[in-house]
Amino acid sequence: MFFKKKKKVVFENNKYNIGNTVNFRYEGDLKVGIIVDISQNENKEFSYEINVGGECPYTVRIKEEKIIRILK
């Protein structure tokens, strides 16, 4: 069995980075999560994959404008 290492893609001019803890709006609620992946579409818009913790953790993908702020 062979394993390939995932290539890291570096984006410029993005506000948030992998590992940042952020507040964001999802389904009408204010949530807290950690950014685990960043992608960019053809229109140069960023979307972030965020892990939301708790007893039953899940992952969501949202656009940059739904993120409110970085938590310290």
Side-chain angles (χ1 to χ4, degrees):
M1 184 181 282
F2 294 99
F3 294 101
K4 286 187 177 180
K5 193 170 192 179
K6 187 176 179 181
K7 293 181 181 178
K8 288 188 177 182
V9 179
V10 177
F11 295 107
E12 295 180 6
N13 301 326
N14 58 333
K15 293 181 184 177
Y16 310 104
N17 296 315
I18 293 176
N20 286 353
T21 303
V22 293
N23 273 355
F24 62 97
R25 292 234 176 251
Y26 183 69
E27 295 181 353
D29 291 332
L30 187 63
K31 305 277 185 179
V32 177
I34 298 174
I35 297 175
V36 293
D37 189 32
I38 303 171
S39 63
Q40 189 176 26
N41 63 9
E42 313 80 45
N43 300 330
K44 305 290 183 191
E45 296 172 340
F46 290 102
S47 65
Y48 298 91
E49 189 171 312
I50 300 175
N51 274 350
V52 181
E55 194 171 310
C56 183
Y58 57 96
T59 303
V60 297
R61 181 165 292 278
I62 61 170
K63 292 186 178 181
E64 187 172 48
E65 60 266 5
K66 295 211 176 199
I67 296 177
I68 298 172
R69 65 180 174 188
I70 297 175
L71 296 175
K72 298 286 177 172

